[in-house]
Amino acid sequence: MQSLTTLEYGKLLALVARHAQTPMGKSRLENLQPLTSRLELGANLQAASEMISLAQRDVNWRFSELPDPSDAVAVLRIKNATLDPLSLLEITRLCNQALFARSVISPEKDAAPTLWQTVENLPSTLFDVLGRINKKLLPSGEIDDAASPELARLRREINNQRGRITKSLESLMRGASNAIQDEIVTMRNERFVVPVKADFRGKVQGVAHGFSSSGATVFIEPLEAIEANNELQSLKGKEEREIARILFALTEELRENLPAIELAVEAVAELDFIKAKTEFARKFNAIVPTISGDETLDLVEARHPLLEENLRTQNQFETQRRRDAEKDELRITNYELRDKEQPQINADERGLESEGQRTKDKGQTKEIVPVSFALSKQNSVMIISGANAGGKTVVMKTAGLLSLMAISGLPVPAKAATIPFYSSVLADIGDHQSLAANLSTFSSHISNIAEMMRECHAPSLVLLDEVGTGTDPDEGSALGVAIVDYFRRKCAAQVIASTHYRGLKIYAANDENVINASVEFNEKTLQPTYRLLVGLAGASSGIEIARRFGIRDEVIERARENLDISAQEAENYLHKLQKETVQATDLRVALEEEREVVANKYALLEMEAKKKEKERQKQFERDLAETIEGFERQSKAFVQTIEDKALKAKLDKERLARKAELNRAVLNNVNRQPSAVSHQKISNGEQPVVDNGQPIFVGSKVLTSFGSVGTVEKIDKDTAEILVGAMRLREKLSNLQAVVSEEKSKENRLEKLQKQTKDSNLRLDTEDMNAELNLIGRTTADAEYEIDRFLDEAYLAALPRIRIIHGFGTGALKNFVHHFLKGHPHVARYAFAPPDQGGQGATIAELKQ
């Protein structure tokens, strides 16, 4: 498709394919096409999301040294065919890595169901087959001696036979040493021979197997070694047949598991395909796009990946060039300082000036300017105007390429992206002039647009660069309006068109469903800023651009004189409007930043106040603890002076009770005392009642993370603007808690009180064994002491309720317990336990607080 070439989709795929680790994954990426199934696209994007999530949790795997197994799998499909050792090892390595990936994904299958589905059907029995192959094949591809007992036996015999032949020939060479060139047994034609001097060849009887390169040595197999060599060759033949049998057996084992191997190959290709996407996403800070169901195209800080890669390469080259220049400059400076005895101050000044210049250069790295805009079913057209070379074409190419990436299941480089499931992305960008086809610039554009009209099916994205250009401006402007309107109304397509024609700018200004946009141009520097300004048409600034590119001043002035007065006024008005819009935008950003600073200062003050309040309370508690400790020491010393044991025990018990009451009273006063921070936060002096289940909307009362209560004035996606007193704060919705109104709070308290009144039975709301006393089997005399001691300990431990188990029996112990509790100073009230906590066989008492 022409549009794929125009938008450089193939180059994008090549860029993503760099991150693939296997030939299968790379091939799959290079041949990727936009998907036509919404279900398949959803699965692709879900898999990419899961892979990114796993990578963030350091759940990872790699595919290394895996060649394409297609040939080896094809051999396995042929009956009785045998794989060579290296092919066997390749298949084994691939299956091992596929099973390893399965073992990594298995614990994460709930968080990554799509990835798990890719490897779920890989059978674990494949491990046994791979293990047997790895035992019989060495990493070099050779067959291990232990591959079979027969192979081990044959190799032992071969080694023994070689030893015997070698000893025999060495003995022969010692007996005819004057005829031997070198006393070294060597091999020729896989047979053992001895090197004989050419002049003495008749002295050693045997078969000649050739001469040395100089002709001075002839290699002879002595008659005594012929039979032994024949035996050795026979053993080697048997070894080769045994190796062939082993390889065939191993191949057959793999052939029996061919479906599992094909699954492993497919799993590795798919996982590498997905992993390459996530590596691309990591490198380019890309996100998985949302596919909209209402034909909304919303790009936030979108970047063109090919442009970003080019700028990154240029920056790397420029950085390396600067480093080389600095090294050269440093060498020259050192040379000058060595050879010249000039004042050191001047040299140092020159060094500082150079360093300042280098620092400035280092800050001049090129960065891509992101693009943000939105199209909807209602506002489906955007007309972009503005200066030449200002970035209009980049905006369209970014929108087109990112849309193709999204519907191909690829992450897109943007902060956020919502993209429709386009049936086609059509583009007429650039000059398609062709001398061979007898097409001019205008006719090539019109021919391409006519083809786009035939291919356009909703939902579609149509990109038109300089629509109507190349002919009379009035006719081109009228034609441009008609073409854009046709794609909008007849094809129901979303259209992004760039133009310099006033007719298209007026068309956008007069139709509320068409968005006007422009690329910013800095009038002071005469340089484009590449920022997209949505909602405002732009001036072309053609004359200023011409001046920037070196057109003579006299030509520029003549052009200004020839410019139509109305056109010049319109141009000036657009410049003024654009300037005011930029100023308003900058002012809004500055106010937002200032508001953020004030909010941060407020938060710091809150934190400081909290810190001081905590320190004050801690100091108060320390002083109070010392006072109570002093009281404890004095009262204890006083009790020790009393000689009457009964009175002493009674006073000691009273001392402990008084100490517990004092601790309890102090604790309650500290808890009820509102802090200075609370007074600042809540004007009426009461703590706010929050309801986490209540939704937050404009007008809601909320509790911020700073502890302040305010009113929500505005909600923008996941951020709310809250009015707290005379100050406005911005905070995420997830950090806010809805505050229940005073009336609703009273209703909740009343309802809770009614529920407590209705449920008259007391319940023990703790599993602490210290809150339970078992009196079953005790007499009333024993029970009195146990209950009294137990109540004192529970009261000192600040337990809210206790349970006394007395059983049913005759009822005497139960009546005694109730009689004892009725007049006890620690008991507020008591009642039989609920049925699930003992019923009438136990009593629960609520202690005074």
Side-chain angles (χ1 to χ4, degrees):
M1 185 190 292
Q2 178 66 35
S3 296
L4 296 182
T5 304
T6 301
L7 295 172
E8 300 177 289
Y9 182 69
K11 292 182 180 179
L12 181 277
L13 294 182
L15 179 62
V16 180
R18 293 182 194 172
H19 303 90
Q21 298 173 349
T22 68
M24 303 85 75
K26 185 176 182 180
S27 175
R28 190 169 293 197
L29 281 165
E30 290 175 342
N31 295 294
L32 181 65
Q33 291 293 315
L35 301 174
T36 56
S37 167
R38 181 72 178 264
L39 189 63
E40 185 181 358
L41 175 59
N44 272 260
L45 294 176
Q46 177 63 25
S49 297
E50 292 171 4
M51 186 76 81
I52 291 172
S53 177
L54 292 183
Q56 290 171 348
R57 300 202 303 271
D58 291 330
V59 179
N60 216 330
W61 62 88
R62 289 186 60 83
F63 298 124
S64 58
E65 300 179 4
L66 292 182
D68 191 342
S70 301
D71 294 340
V73 173
V75 171
L76 289 176
R77 293 194 182 104
I78 302 172
K79 189 176 181 180
N80 295 328
T82 303
L83 287 172
D84 62 86
L86 291 178
S87 297
L88 285 168
L89 286 175
E90 289 172 5
I91 291 288
T92 304
R93 192 178 299 116
L94 183 142
C95 291
N96 273 324
Q97 294 193 22
L99 290 170
F100 175 75
R102 184 185 188 277
S103 68
V104 172
I105 297 172
S106 180
E108 308 290 337
K109 58 185 175 183
D110 292 334
T114 307
L115 294 178
W116 172 244
Q117 190 176 359
T118 305
V119 295
E120 181 180 10
N121 295 324
L122 287 175
S124 56
T125 54
L126 202 56
F127 273 119
D128 299 332
V129 178
L130 302 178
R132 287 194 291 272
I133 293 175
N134 286 329
K135 285 180 180 178
K136 296 183 179 183
L137 294 181
L138 298 175
S140 61
E142 297 177 359
I143 309 298
D144 192 271
D145 292 351
S148 75
E150 179 65 13
L151 182 64
R153 184 187 66 80
L154 288 171
R155 286 184 173 175
R156 281 196 305 272
E157 290 188 9
I158 288 172
N159 289 332
N160 292 336
Q161 184 68 7
R162 283 174 176 165
R164 287 192 291 269
I165 295 173
T166 301
K167 287 181 179 178
S168 172
L169 294 181
E170 286 175 349
S171 175
L172 184 147
M173 287 189 293
R174 284 195 294 272
S177 58
N178 59 336
I180 301 301
Q181 187 75 274
D182 295 302
E183 291 190 7
I184 299 173
V185 178
T186 186
M187 296 281 293
R188 281 294 183 275
N189 301 324
E190 297 186 358
R191 301 178 75 86
F192 283 95
V193 296
V194 293
V196 179
K197 297 176 182 177
D199 297 339
F200 294 87
R201 61 180 299 182
K203 192 171 182 179
V204 179
Q205 299 298 315
V207 179
H209 284 271
F211 291 84
S212 65
S213 58
S214 63
T217 304
V218 59
F219 298 101
I220 295 177
E221 178 184 4
L223 294 176
E224 299 92 327
I226 290 177
E227 188 62 31
N229 272 328
N230 290 339
E231 179 64 23
L232 179 62
Q233 294 305 313
S234 175
L235 290 172
K236 285 185 177 181
K238 291 178 181 179
E239 179 192 24
E240 290 175 359
R241 287 191 294 274
E242 179 62 15
I243 289 173
R245 187 193 66 78
I246 293 171
L247 291 178
F248 181 75
L250 295 178
T251 304
E252 282 296 303
E253 281 202 74
L254 290 182
R255 186 173 287 119
E256 291 172 3
N257 291 273
L258 182 58
I261 293 171
E262 290 175 337
L263 281 175
V265 173
E266 177 62 25
V268 167
E270 181 66 16
L271 290 177
D272 188 40
F273 171 68
I274 299 169
K275 190 172 177 61
K277 296 181 192 179
T278 59
E279 284 298 309
F280 168 81
R282 182 189 61 81
K283 182 177 179 181
F284 286 84
N285 196 23
I287 53 101
V288 176
T290 301
I291 303 301
S292 66
D294 57 356
E295 298 185 24
T296 296
L297 173 63
D298 189 0
L299 298 178
V300 180
E301 296 186 14
R303 308 178 310 280
H304 195 290
L306 297 178
L307 177 59
E308 186 170 354
E309 177 67 12
N310 288 339
L311 290 179
R312 189 176 295 172
T313 303
Q314 290 178 20
N315 289 335
Q316 291 173 350
F317 174 78
E318 192 63 26
T319 301
Q320 186 60 45
R321 187 191 63 78
R322 281 198 298 267
R323 287 174 180 170
D324 293 342
E326 288 173 0
K327 291 178 181 178
D328 293 341
E329 183 181 353
L330 185 61
R331 282 196 296 269
I332 293 172
T333 302
N334 291 337
Y335 178 80
E336 290 175 350
L337 290 175
R338 236 185 0 256
D339 293 351
K340 295 182 179 180
E341 295 182 357
Q342 297 295 331
Q344 187 66 32
I345 296 177
N346 293 337
D348 290 342
E349 288 177 353
R350 286 199 304 273
L352 289 172
E353 289 172 0
S354 299
E355 182 61 32
Q357 184 63 44
R358 285 197 293 270
T359 304
K360 182 179 178 182
D361 290 343
K362 287 176 184 176
Q364 293 177 347
T365 56
K366 298 178 181 178
E367 294 183 358
I368 193 168
V369 179
V371 175
S372 300
F373 68 89
L375 296 177
S376 63
K377 195 168 185 177
Q378 183 178 3
N379 302 106
S380 59
V381 178
M382 182 167 69
I383 304 297
I384 308 175
S385 52
N388 294 90
K392 298 188 295 296
T393 304
V394 172
V395 172
M396 290 191 295
K397 282 194 169 185
T398 300
L401 186 57
L402 265 61
S403 296
L404 287 173
M405 292 172 69
I407 61 178
S408 300
L410 296 172
V412 298
K415 186 176 182 180
T418 301
I419 297 173
F421 184 51
Y422 291 122
S423 61
S424 58
V425 176
L426 306 171
D428 179 60
I429 299 174
D431 190 355
H432 304 290
Q433 180 177 345
S434 172
L435 295 177
N438 196 25
L439 291 175
S440 65
T441 298
F442 176 74
S443 58
S444 67
H445 277 293
I446 294 301
S447 174
N448 190 36
I449 291 172
E451 181 65 27
M452 288 165 58
M453 287 180 175
R454 287 189 289 272
E455 294 179 0
C456 184
H457 301 287
S460 288
L461 177 64
V462 176
L463 308 170
L464 301 168
D465 187 24
E466 305 290 352
V467 59
T469 190
T471 188
D472 177 78
D474 292 334
E475 290 186 1
S477 178
L479 187 59
V481 171
I483 290 171
V484 169
D485 206 54
Y486 174 85
F487 281 116
R488 172 193 174 191
R489 300 187 188 278
K490 296 294 183 182
C491 297
Q494 292 179 330
V495 184
I496 303 176
S498 66
T499 188
H500 292 286
Y501 288 150
R502 198 179 310 165
L504 275 164
K505 298 178 188 178
I506 295 172
Y507 165 74
N510 291 338
D511 193 328
E512 61 181 9
N513 294 326
V514 178
I515 301 170
N516 240 328
S518 61
V519 286
E520 188 181 34
F521 184 77
N522 191 322
E523 294 292 337
K524 292 182 180 179
T525 62
L526 300 181
Q527 295 281 348
T529 64
Y530 304 107
R531 288 172 56 193
L532 180 68
L533 306 177
V534 178
L536 179 68
S540 296
S541 304
I543 295 177
E544 296 299 338
I545 296 291
R547 171 182 291 186
R548 182 164 70 90
F549 278 92
I551 298 297
R552 295 179 179 273
D553 290 342
E554 57 187 278
V555 177
I556 297 297
E557 292 305 320
R558 185 66 180 271
R560 292 189 187 280
E561 293 172 3
N562 293 336
L563 188 64
D564 183 78
I565 298 299
S566 61
Q568 190 168 1
E569 289 177 352
E571 191 87 356
N572 292 338
Y573 175 73
L574 286 175
H575 279 306
K576 181 181 177 182
L577 190 60
Q578 191 176 49
K579 184 177 180 181
E580 290 176 354
T581 302
V582 171
Q583 289 176 347
T585 302
D586 292 342
L587 179 61
R588 179 180 59 79
V589 171
L591 288 174
E592 289 290 339
E593 291 176 352
E594 186 176 353
R595 183 182 298 173
E596 192 73 24
V597 170
V598 172
N600 290 336
K601 286 183 178 178
Y602 179 79
L604 289 173
L605 289 174
E606 289 285 333
M607 292 173 62
E608 189 66 26
K610 282 183 180 179
K611 185 178 178 181
K612 289 182 178 179
E613 177 64 18
K614 285 182 179 178
E615 290 176 354
R616 184 197 66 77
Q617 190 164 341
K618 285 182 180 178
Q619 185 61 41
F620 171 73
E621 290 174 357
R622 284 195 295 270
D623 295 343
L624 187 61
E626 290 178 3
T627 303
I628 294 174
E629 187 67 26
F631 166 75
E632 168 72 6
R633 285 195 304 270
Q634 292 178 10
S635 60
K636 194 172 183 180
F638 173 73
V639 170
Q640 293 295 331
T641 61
I642 298 174
E643 297 180 356
D644 189 338
K645 291 184 178 180
L647 179 60
K648 184 176 181 181
K650 184 177 180 181
L651 288 176
D652 194 49
K653 179 179 177 181
E654 182 69 19
R655 178 181 63 80
L656 292 174
R658 295 289 182 182
K659 180 183 176 183
E661 288 178 3
L662 182 60
N663 281 331
R664 194 185 304 273
V666 168
L667 184 61
N668 289 338
N669 286 334
V670 169
N671 290 337
R672 285 199 300 267
Q673 182 181 2
S675 66
V677 178
S678 300
H679 281 301
Q680 292 175 6
K681 293 177 184 175
I682 305 159
S683 59
N684 59 10
E686 296 181 2
Q687 294 292 334
V689 180
V690 299
D691 182 2
N692 292 326
Q694 182 175 329
I696 296 174
F697 48 85
V698 175
S700 296
K701 291 284 186 182
V702 293
L703 181 67
T704 69
S705 61
F706 305 136
S708 354
V709 175
T711 305
V712 177
E713 287 196 331
K714 180 182 178 183
I715 295 179
D716 182 12
K717 294 182 180 178
D718 61 342
T719 304
E721 189 173 293
I722 308 112
L723 179 64
V724 181
M727 186 175 296
R728 284 181 173 82
L729 306 175
R730 287 176 64 84
E731 191 158 359
K732 290 187 175 180
L733 286 171
S734 57
N735 296 335
L736 302 177
Q737 293 176 292
V739 175
V740 180
S741 63
E742 186 177 353
E743 293 78 7
K744 189 171 181 181
S745 179
K746 287 181 179 178
E747 290 176 4
N748 292 341
R749 287 197 297 268
L750 181 60
E751 183 181 348
K752 186 176 180 181
L753 182 60
Q754 290 173 347
K755 186 177 178 182
Q756 288 178 349
T757 305
K758 183 178 178 181
D759 186 13
S760 59
N761 282 338
L762 295 174
R763 293 185 60 84
L764 188 67
D765 49 5
T766 178
E767 298 295 330
D768 191 353
M769 293 300 295
N770 295 326
E772 182 177 281
L773 174 65
N774 191 342
L775 296 177
I776 294 178
R778 304 291 180 92
T779 64
T780 55
D782 294 334
E784 180 179 6
Y785 173 75
E786 292 290 339
I787 297 172
D788 191 38
R789 181 183 60 79
F790 177 61
L791 287 173
D792 286 341
E793 291 176 354
Y795 186 77
L796 291 174
L799 294 177
R801 294 182 184 85
I802 53 95
R803 177 169 60 173
I804 301 175
I805 303 173
H806 42 68
F808 297 95
T810 61
L813 187 59
K814 173 191 69 177
N815 294 334
F816 176 78
V817 169
H818 284 198
H819 177 74
F820 189 86
L821 293 176
K822 186 175 181 180
H824 200 282
H826 295 339
V827 178
R829 59 184 180 129
Y830 63 90
F832 285 120
D836 61 337
Q837 293 189 354
Q840 295 192 0
T843 296
I844 293 181
E846 183 178 286
L847 303 185
K848 292 179 181 179
Q849 300 297 317

